[in-house]
Amino acid sequence: MTTTQSDLLRDVSAGRLRPLNQTETKSALADLKQIAGTEPVAADLLAGESALRDFIVAALTLSPHLREIANLEPSLLVAAIEKPLSPQIEALVEEARRAWLPANGEGASPTESEVMSRLRIAKRRAAFLVALADLARIYDGRVTTRWLSRLAEASISAAIDHLLLSSHEAGKIVVPDPAAPSRKSGLIVLGMGKLGAEELNYSSDIDLVVFFDETAGIVHDPDDAIDIFPRLMRRLVRILQERTADGYVFRTDLRLRPDPGSTPLAIPVDAAMIYYEGRGQNWERAAFIKARPVGGDIAAGQAFIRDLVPFVFRKYLDYAAISDIHSIKRQIHAHKGHGAIAVKGHNVKLGRGGIREVEFFVQTQQLIAGGRMPSLRSRSTEETLSELTEAKWIDAETRDELISAYWFLRDVEHRIQMVRDEQTHLLPETDAELRRIAYMMGFADVSAFSEALVTTLKTVERRYARLFEQETKLSSETGNLVFTGQGDDPDTLETLRRLGFDRPSDIANVIRTWHYGRYRATQSVEARERLTELTPELLRVFGESKRADKALLRFDSFISGLPAGIQLFSLLGTNPALLSLIVNIMSSAPRLAEIIAAKPHVFDGMLDPRLMAELPTRDYLAERLQTFLAPARHYEETLDLLRIFASEQRFLIGIRLLTDAIGGVMAARAFTYLADLIVEAALDAVMKEIRAAHGEYPGGRVAVVGMGKLGSFELSAGSDIDIILLYDYDDAAGESDGPKPLDATRYFTRITQRLIAALSAPTAEGVLYEVDMRLRPSGNKGPVATRINSFEKYQREEAWTWEHMALSRSRLICGDEDLVNDAERIIGEVLSTKRDVAKIARDVREMRALIEQEKPPESIWDLKLISGGLIDIEFIAQYLRLVASVRGVGIDANGLSTAEALKLLGGSLMDRNDLDVCLEALQLYTEVSQLIRLCIDGTFDPKNTPSGLIELVCRAGDCPDIRTLEAELKRLSKAVRKVFQATVAS
């Protein structure tokens, strides 16, 4: 990291970045002109034409985060323009490392808030300079990640020194050397993952594991250590991640410690060693490959890692652990989908062909061979790929492809995070935002960037797939599989047992049923031949799933309902990813398995290889619905086609969620878009029928309001829908003008009744949605359809607080444009009425207490009802909407999701840390509950749930096992309840 000529921003190559658009360019130039008013260097830059000027303007248009820092601290931008970058960053890293020391080396130790402020300022400045150097390609990804890792290490070390010294000064511990508090303290702080490998990304959180040596002698009574050190770690997390006026340093995660659901934040060394030697799991072996001391007693940390080597790296070539490796693969989960890869919304870390697959490619082989080959124990991904080549485990071409792909994807990840300093790995879903990333990567347009990205992802996916194909060949051949005759072949039963089936005789009987052609799908000779060829692979893949017998019986139920089988069996034979997906459904998602067994047609959409590449946006679904309904000749046929389309699209959205092609938040949007379109199409069909029988009503207009989860874009796989039907008409009219005229009340009531029937009446193709209209004015006592003036009068004069809370989640989803505008205006005015804040707070608290009393949660997994669960978060958002105008916040927060409403209102009305807690919890609850609702009906109980689903739920919650996830839910729900109590205060 020495200074060279290329360490200066002014040496940036011409055309390195393109500005986002003209509007952003004008805005960035206006900001720079303001800075130039006080900074001559900036004025000189703007005065002429240069590659540096173009680069700075473009960078500020592409990253709102960098522009905000430049405006906050113009002198930092000037220093970046004027001076070599590396010495400045080096000085800031050193500044962070010394944050615990008295200013100028004299006087009293700084307070905790002073340490926090110093660390935040150093982080903000260093990250700004690193980002500019990275965008200018003065630094490549390797240098960028190394600087960010050094900054994190310096910050952690300074925070630990401060904590130890302050405890020493308070008389709670005695450090051997107050001038170097960490030395010989016995406090071990290990950096895991990318921090351990010195490959930290731009807005990364940091994974730490903390141990302490009770025999180090710094605690007067060793029994007190178990209280003192975890308390210090809580302060460490606060120092590093709490948001203040100066920002934050690093989000900090301590969940990689042994059994995090039931252990303190810091663990005695001896207890940790006993755990790893006796109960350590595969994912922990993988995690410790990258572990490195980053703070505290470095010598003790190095000794701990040396002692852990036999646990991480087994002494012999670990081929016997290949099934364990597959288990890690399920826990880390990088699903090999089939067909094209989507660019919009793709997760460059966890998605297909992503960063995690490169890392896992490396770690897998380290776990297998690292015990015998110490050269393979490197923490760095690139270094290990080179060592694998030296050891002849992979060829040079594989090494070069994966190194190139890894750093390309890391660059993409950095740019995604540089935009707004958000810890995300998802590419944007809109062209405008994707263009931002393409330009930051130095591409001329989105198309060129997308092509390069897809090529890279496919390269990684191909290499990753080959790794597992090679490992499969290491296992023995399948063994005897004979299913002829009436009786069981003993060798076949033994093979089935070895493959993982608990009831081999029952499984043999099922397969004989296939061979005998008892199902329509197996009646043709060709179909049976294809199935016979497929059977060994089918049994092997099903056998790898837990509860293999149940999964195969669900598959049997599926093919028993198929009208024909040859196309599917041929596809499964040539497409391992599709077979893997079917096994995934049968072993993890009983609810989806039942759907495809009852309605095999929903599976047809799976045969389209473009499926995973297409995000289920509103436009995408609308286009398909229009095409699908085109052949309908009459009302009943339209309703049947709507049911077929809805069931198929719900299933396909679910498949995308199951395979991680989309996350829970996007799935909620997609389920809601689908419901919007179905309701609109059903209303159109109903209106045609009503007009044919009863004519037009003069001036008649209808609009449908979505309430509850439909209104807030949060439907899940099995949701019912809450709606209100509003109408209006000309007062002068007496009745409709058709062959069977009706007065106004009966005309619009008839429309509503027909709409409810169109959506919820069972036909041969099932039910579209259960419809709930209890949120209409006066509830079940009121008329099913409500005239707009009655609706307005009721909401302004009679509605209770809880009804206004419900109204804050309302959204007009279809109908007459003028009536929709009227309704939106009324709802906006009603919600913005100035209220008695104390009364609203009291009503909201009473409502929450009533729900708690009448509907207590069944377990921690009842994410809606638990204390600090979804209802608490929704109530916070609804409360803020009702009091916003009184608090002087005139924001229109109608028609938004709960998360969007919280971000919009909470930014002004909540403590930033409280808002972050709610958003983090809401994200986790959404991801987990969407998956659970997709896969099973009823309550989730880990003890009685398919193990495949448990792995999927852990993946959705980004936790290595179910106990960790449960602990995370308890932590967050407790924090949310505190926020609820603080926010909705009297």
Side-chain angles (χ1 to χ4, degrees):
M1 292 191 192
T2 55
T3 307
T4 64
Q5 185 64 18
S6 65
D7 204 44
L8 292 160
L9 265 187
R10 64 166 169 259
D11 293 328
V12 66
S13 56
R16 175 67 220 152
L17 294 182
R18 297 182 61 177
L20 184 62
N21 54 45
Q22 283 188 330
T23 306
E24 288 294 319
T25 302
K26 285 178 186 172
S27 178
L29 281 168
D31 285 351
L32 284 169
K33 280 173 187 165
Q34 197 165 350
I35 290 170
T38 56
E39 298 288 352
V41 171
D44 292 344
L45 179 75
L46 287 178
E49 296 290 330
S50 66
L52 176 58
R53 177 186 186 275
D54 294 345
F55 169 77
I56 294 292
V57 171
L60 298 189
T61 69
L62 295 168
S63 169
H65 171 59
L66 294 180
R67 193 194 306 188
E68 186 183 330
I69 294 175
N71 287 327
L72 181 71
E73 203 168 349
S75 59
L76 184 59
L77 178 62
V78 168
I81 292 168
E82 211 174 17
K83 300 173 186 172
L85 295 167
S86 295
Q88 295 184 71
I89 300 168
E90 184 75 64
L92 288 165
V93 170
E94 183 58 26
E95 206 175 285
R97 183 63 188 90
R98 297 174 60 80
W100 66 283
L101 291 166
N104 306 317
E106 299 170 9
S109 300
T111 64
E112 200 143 302
S113 57
E114 285 173 327
V115 173
M116 289 169 70
S117 181
R118 290 178 188 179
L119 289 176
R120 279 154 180 72
I121 291 167
K123 157 73 187 305
R124 183 178 70 222
R125 291 172 176 169
F128 179 80
L129 297 175
V130 169
L132 287 178
D134 190 350
L135 289 171
R137 287 283 87 171
I138 290 169
Y139 293 167
D140 63 9
R142 299 166 181 82
V143 180
T144 295
T145 53
R146 211 172 312 133
W147 274 125
L148 293 169
S149 302
R150 282 192 56 196
L151 180 65
E153 192 173 343
S155 302
I156 294 161
S157 294
I160 292 290
D161 279 344
H162 162 75
L163 290 167
L164 289 172
L165 184 61
S166 66
S167 296
H168 172 82
E169 289 172 346
K172 292 178 182 173
I173 62 173
V174 180
V175 296
D177 180 5
S182 289
R183 195 180 302 146
K184 296 187 179 177
S185 64
L187 180 61
I188 297 167
V189 183
L190 301 182
M192 311 292 280
K194 289 189 170 65
L195 173 59
E198 295 183 271
E199 294 171 345
L200 209 58
N201 44 281
Y202 193 76
S203 295
S204 181
D205 59 358
I206 51 174
D207 291 297
L208 302 178
V209 179
V210 183
F211 306 106
F212 59 87
D213 183 356
E214 294 164 297
T215 65
I218 71 168
V219 180
H220 305 295
D221 181 350
D223 289 343
D224 292 339
I226 199 65
D227 292 323
I228 290 170
F229 288 114
R231 201 173 297 129
L232 289 183
M233 289 314 102
R234 276 192 287 278
R235 286 170 63 193
L236 174 70
V237 172
R238 177 175 172 268
I239 289 171
L240 293 176
Q241 84 170 21
E242 186 173 282
R243 286 184 182 273
T244 70
D246 296 310
Y248 69 103
V249 193
F250 290 96
R251 285 170 288 264
T252 306
D253 193 336
L254 295 168
R255 289 177 299 169
L256 291 181
R257 68 188 185 277
D259 196 3
S262 58
T263 54
L265 298 181
I267 296 170
V269 166
D270 291 346
M273 278 299 174
I274 291 167
Y275 169 85
Y276 289 123
E277 287 166 6
R279 293 169 50 208
Q281 298 180 48
N282 296 309
W283 67 265
E284 289 168 311
R285 288 180 64 201
F288 270 97
I289 291 173
K290 293 179 187 282
R292 178 173 66 92
V294 293
D297 189 336
I298 300 295
Q302 290 166 339
F304 181 86
I305 286 176
R306 278 196 301 275
D307 291 345
L308 212 56
V309 164
F311 162 66
V312 179
F313 299 108
R314 305 270 166 85
K315 190 174 179 182
Y316 301 103
L317 284 176
D318 204 1
Y319 287 131
I322 285 171
S323 60
D324 290 351
I325 307 283
H326 277 282
S327 160
I328 302 172
K329 175 177 177 280
R330 282 196 299 272
Q331 290 171 351
I332 292 180
H333 194 84
H335 182 83
K336 297 203 295 287
H338 67 292
I341 297 177
V343 172
K344 289 178 184 172
H346 191 78
N347 189 320
V348 295
K349 179 182 177 184
L350 301 177
R352 288 169 52 200
I355 294 163
R356 184 60 65 83
E357 288 191 4
V358 182
E359 293 171 339
F360 190 61
F361 179 97
V362 170
Q363 286 175 321
T364 300
Q365 295 173 89
Q366 286 181 292
L367 287 179
I368 291 170
R372 285 283 295 276
M373 304 172 79
S375 62
L376 296 183
R377 297 177 190 174
S378 167
R379 298 181 182 101
S380 154
T381 302
E382 179 173 349
E383 192 180 322
T384 308
L385 283 166
S386 297
E387 292 294 348
L388 285 167
T389 311
E390 287 291 313
K392 309 295 185 205
W393 274 73
I394 60 173
D395 58 32
E397 185 186 358
T398 302
R399 173 198 64 201
D400 295 344
E401 280 189 1
L402 287 178
I403 288 173
S404 171
Y406 180 72
W407 288 115
F408 179 86
L409 294 171
R410 293 303 306 274
D411 283 342
V412 175
E413 176 187 46
H414 284 154
R415 278 140 188 78
I416 292 170
Q417 295 178 346
M418 275 178 205
V419 175
R420 293 183 179 85
D421 188 27
E422 291 175 341
Q423 188 202 353
T424 177
H425 309 278
L426 295 173
L427 279 161
E429 293 170 26
T430 64
D431 286 329
E433 286 298 306
L434 199 57
R435 189 179 306 116
R436 194 190 290 272
I437 305 300
Y439 287 177
M440 291 172 92
M441 286 292 291
F443 286 90
D445 53 41
V446 169
S447 172
F449 167 64
S450 299
E451 189 178 335
L453 178 70
V454 170
T455 301
T456 303
L457 295 170
K458 285 191 169 174
T459 297
V460 173
E461 187 176 43
R462 186 179 74 251
R463 292 294 182 187
Y464 182 66
R466 281 183 195 167
L467 171 70
F468 280 97
E469 283 164 13
Q470 288 159 10
E471 285 174 358
T472 302
K473 289 169 192 164
L474 297 172
S475 60
S476 62
E477 290 300 311
T478 307
N480 255 27
L481 288 171
V482 179
F483 299 105
T484 54
Q486 293 292 332
D488 291 332
D489 169 55
D491 288 345
T492 297
L493 296 185
E494 182 52 40
T495 300
L496 289 171
R497 196 174 285 110
R498 195 172 65 249
L499 284 171
F501 294 96
D502 294 331
R503 292 152 36 210
S505 184
D506 292 349
I507 298 303
N509 193 42
V510 165
I511 293 167
R512 276 197 293 274
T513 301
W514 300 348
H515 285 286
Y516 293 151
R518 290 175 187 163
Y519 301 150
R520 279 185 299 166
T522 60
Q523 280 171 358
S524 77
V525 174
E526 291 87 349
R528 286 201 299 278
E529 282 176 357
R530 294 283 184 284
L531 190 52
T532 301
E533 289 164 11
L534 182 63
T535 297
E537 181 64 4
L538 200 67
L539 290 170
R540 186 188 68 75
V541 177
F542 270 104
E544 285 178 355
S545 70
K546 295 178 184 170
R547 302 193 189 174
D549 304 68
K550 272 192 176 178
L552 190 78
L553 290 171
R554 288 195 191 105
F555 180 73
D556 173 61
S557 177
F558 164 51
I559 64 170
S560 71
L562 288 174
I566 187 161
Q567 184 194 11
L568 176 67
F569 302 149
S570 301
L571 270 168
L572 292 178
T574 56
N575 194 331
L578 190 58
L579 175 57
S580 161
L581 180 57
I582 284 193
V583 173
N584 204 350
I585 294 169
M586 302 299 162
S587 62
S588 310
R591 188 177 165 279
L592 283 180
E594 285 167 16
I595 289 170
I596 61 174
K599 298 179 181 176
H601 68 77
V602 298
F603 197 77
D604 294 349
M606 282 306 309
L607 308 181
D608 179 0
R610 295 168 303 169
L611 173 69
M612 296 304 171
E614 298 277 10
L615 290 178
T617 61
R618 187 186 172 95
D619 290 346
Y620 169 88
L621 293 168
E623 184 186 331
R624 271 150 188 76
L625 178 59
Q626 187 178 2
T627 307
F628 200 82
L629 291 180
R633 290 158 299 178
H634 51 77
Y635 180 67
E636 284 73 20
E637 191 174 1
T638 300
L639 297 193
D640 276 343
L641 286 175
L642 279 175
R643 280 158 171 73
I644 293 167
F645 180 82
S647 61
E648 189 171 303
Q649 291 302 324
R650 270 196 293 255
F651 177 76
L652 295 178
I653 293 165
I655 291 299
R656 291 179 177 96
L657 177 60
L658 190 75
T659 58
D660 213 19
I662 62 175
V665 174
M666 201 188 298
R669 282 256 167 199
F671 285 128
T672 307
Y673 290 146
L674 178 62
D676 285 358
L677 293 165
I678 295 294
V679 171
E680 187 173 10
L683 181 63
D684 286 347
V686 165
M687 293 304 294
K688 282 178 191 164
E689 282 292 289
I690 292 289
R691 285 172 188 139
H694 307 292
E696 295 272 5
Y697 201 97
R701 299 174 294 157
V702 171
V704 177
V705 188
M707 305 292 286
K709 291 195 181 298
L710 175 62
S712 58
F713 295 102
E714 290 160 341
L715 290 184
S716 56
S719 294
D720 58 4
I721 57 173
D722 296 277
I723 58 174
I724 296 172
L725 189 129
L726 300 176
Y727 66 89
D728 204 5
Y729 57 89
D730 290 345
D731 285 324
E735 59 184 17
S736 61
D737 60 10
K740 297 179 183 174
L742 295 173
D743 61 47
T745 302
R746 287 197 298 156
Y747 185 86
F748 292 104
T749 298
R750 187 74 52 88
I751 290 172
T752 310
Q753 289 166 337
R754 290 294 292 269
L755 177 61
I756 294 169
L759 294 170
S760 59
T763 73
E765 297 297 340
V767 168
L768 275 168
Y769 294 98
E770 296 296 337
V771 178
D772 191 334
M773 298 196 76
R774 286 174 297 178
L775 291 176
R776 67 187 187 270
S778 303
N780 285 341
K781 295 174 187 172
V784 290
T786 309
R787 193 173 181 189
I788 189 76
N789 56 4
S790 302
F791 175 78
E792 180 173 13
K793 184 174 187 296
Y794 181 85
Q795 292 295 347
R796 290 190 191 279
E797 298 174 14
E798 299 175 48
W800 296 63
T801 299
W802 72 263
E803 291 176 290
H804 285 159
M805 289 166 68
L807 195 66
S808 72
R809 293 176 82 185
S810 65
R811 180 172 59 86
L812 273 293
I813 58 175
C814 62
D816 176 85
E817 190 176 343
D818 289 338
L819 187 58
V820 164
N821 291 337
D822 279 352
E824 285 178 340
R825 174 186 56 76
I826 291 164
I827 290 168
E829 288 173 3
V830 167
L831 293 176
S832 299
T833 303
K834 289 197 164 38
R835 295 173 168 80
D836 178 346
V837 174
K839 180 183 182 303
I840 298 296
R842 188 170 59 251
D843 289 349
V844 172
R845 288 197 310 276
E846 285 175 2
M847 170 68 77
R848 184 66 188 101
L850 186 65
I851 292 172
E852 223 150 17
Q853 183 183 329
E854 294 189 355
K855 290 184 177 178
E858 293 180 33
S859 72
I860 187 66
W861 297 102
D862 199 342
L863 299 178
K864 179 179 176 181
L865 295 173
I866 55 171
S867 170
L870 278 167
I871 287 181
D872 285 46
I873 297 173
E874 289 165 2
F875 275 22
I876 290 169
Q878 291 162 26
Y879 168 76
L880 294 179
R881 181 66 186 95
L882 295 185
V883 303
S885 60
V886 182
R887 299 270 177 85
V889 177
I891 293 173
D892 179 7
N894 301 343
L896 302 177
S897 69
T898 302
E900 289 167 337
L902 274 174
K903 285 177 188 172
L904 204 57
L905 297 165
S908 307
L909 298 172
M910 289 177 75
D911 174 87
R912 181 56 196 261
N913 292 302
D914 287 352
L915 176 59
D916 285 348
V917 164
C918 288
L919 291 173
E920 183 188 357
L922 181 57
Q923 173 82 16
L924 179 62
Y925 296 164
T926 302
E927 295 296 332
V928 172
S929 60
Q930 279 287 343
L931 197 64
I932 290 172
R933 293 290 301 275
L934 174 73
C935 293
I936 57 172
D937 289 313
T939 308
F940 177 74
D941 175 6
K943 294 189 185 71
N944 300 306
T945 293
S947 52
L949 175 56
I950 288 177
E951 286 163 3
L952 291 173
V953 168
C954 291
R955 181 199 78 199
D958 194 23
C959 285
D961 55 37
I962 202 73
R963 279 196 298 180
T964 308
L965 178 55
E966 205 162 308
E968 186 66 357
L969 290 172
K970 286 174 182 170
R971 177 185 75 81
L972 279 171
S973 60
K974 192 174 174 185
V976 168
R977 176 43 67 96
K978 282 184 183 170
V979 174
F980 175 82
Q981 288 165 338
T983 306
V984 189
S986 52

